[in-house]
Amino acid sequence: MMNVEEQRTAALLNADNFRQQCLQAVRSLRLPGGYISAGFLRNAIWDHLHGKLHMTPLNDIDVVYFDSTDTSFAAEQRAESILEEQLPNVKWQVRNQARMHLVHGHSPYRSTAEAVAHWLEVPRCVGVRINFDDKLTFLAPFGLHENWSLTVKINPLNPHPEAFISRIQNKRWREIWPQLMIQQP
């Protein structure tokens, strides 16, 4: 059963033809623990709350999954190639979270959800997938409240204040979405 914020988010995604195409393309890969994450979902909410008629362009679409049986970079590249064939005008970034702990210097993750729960800022710690019954499933270890409240704060599981501040500045989020409330660590 979806909570209110998930229902609101599902309504946004269901009304967005581009995002529906992306979700269906990722579904076709059948990636274990696979979700489209981060800005794909976060930006849709923030654009809606800012009354934008056109979506803010995405640098890429982040796809996450968890497969401890094949942690090769080649497997990620194969998935990206298949997605690029389906939607050639989209820049995809596919990452197996079973190996990403090495990149971030964390203990090994046990699932996609655990990996996503360690990302730097809370509003980014989200994902969505479309199931074969066409229903959406959300991955949001901290919930979707931060996104809907336009609040950006550091992840308590990954407290790196200097990286958080740098990321906020480099992404220029306050210029794109001026109503955001950045909580300094």
Side-chain angles (χ1 to χ4, degrees):
M1 188 76 169
M2 286 189 195
N3 65 37
V4 172
E5 289 161 339
E6 290 173 340
Q7 290 172 6
R8 291 175 71 193
T9 307
L12 282 179
L13 297 176
N14 288 330
D16 186 324
N17 187 49
F18 171 74
R19 282 185 167 83
Q20 282 295 306
Q21 290 175 345
C22 293
L23 286 163
Q24 291 168 11
V26 171
R27 175 179 64 185
S28 74
L29 295 178
R30 298 177 180 259
L31 295 170
Y35 290 85
I36 301 180
S37 60
F40 180 84
L41 188 54
R42 177 199 62 220
N43 292 12
I45 296 169
W46 289 355
D47 282 350
H48 171 75
L49 292 173
H50 279 80
K52 292 185 178 235
L53 299 178
H54 302 286
M55 71 177 250
T56 300
L58 296 163
N59 296 330
D60 57 25
I61 295 182
D62 297 299
V63 177
V64 294
Y65 69 102
F66 194 90
D67 183 358
S68 58
T69 65
D70 184 356
T71 58
S72 70
F73 186 64
E76 296 170 351
Q77 289 179 311
R78 281 190 302 274
E80 286 176 5
S81 294
I82 293 167
L83 290 169
E84 287 167 4
E85 287 175 17
Q86 292 183 51
L87 294 171
N89 295 327
V90 174
K91 182 176 181 342
W92 297 95
Q93 184 178 73
V94 179
R95 295 293 178 261
N96 183 353
Q97 301 303 295
R99 73 171 185 84
M100 293 308 290
H101 67 284
L102 299 170
V103 174
H104 300 296
H106 297 152
S107 298
Y109 305 130
R110 295 173 296 213
S111 67
T112 304
E114 185 176 1
V116 167
H118 283 84
W119 290 353
L120 191 57
E121 68 280 343
V122 172
R124 183 174 169 222
C125 299
V126 294
V128 63
R129 70 177 169 211
I130 192 167
N131 301 313
F132 286 97
D133 63 359
D134 291 329
K135 302 244 191 283
L136 296 174
T137 297
F138 293 95
L139 171 68
F142 300 102
L144 293 169
H145 177 74
E146 304 298 331
N147 291 288
W148 282 98
S149 69
L150 294 171
T151 303
V152 181
K153 63 183 177 183
I154 196 166
N155 182 341
L157 298 179
N158 190 9
H160 295 284
E162 60 290 335
F164 175 82
I165 292 166
S166 175
R167 183 169 162 80
I168 299 301
Q169 291 170 345
N170 291 338
K171 292 290 186 176
R172 300 180 18 255
W173 286 343
R174 287 293 308 269
E175 292 174 37
I176 299 167
W177 300 284
Q179 297 173 43
L180 289 180
M181 295 168 283
I182 312 292
Q183 291 187 359
Q184 297 298 322

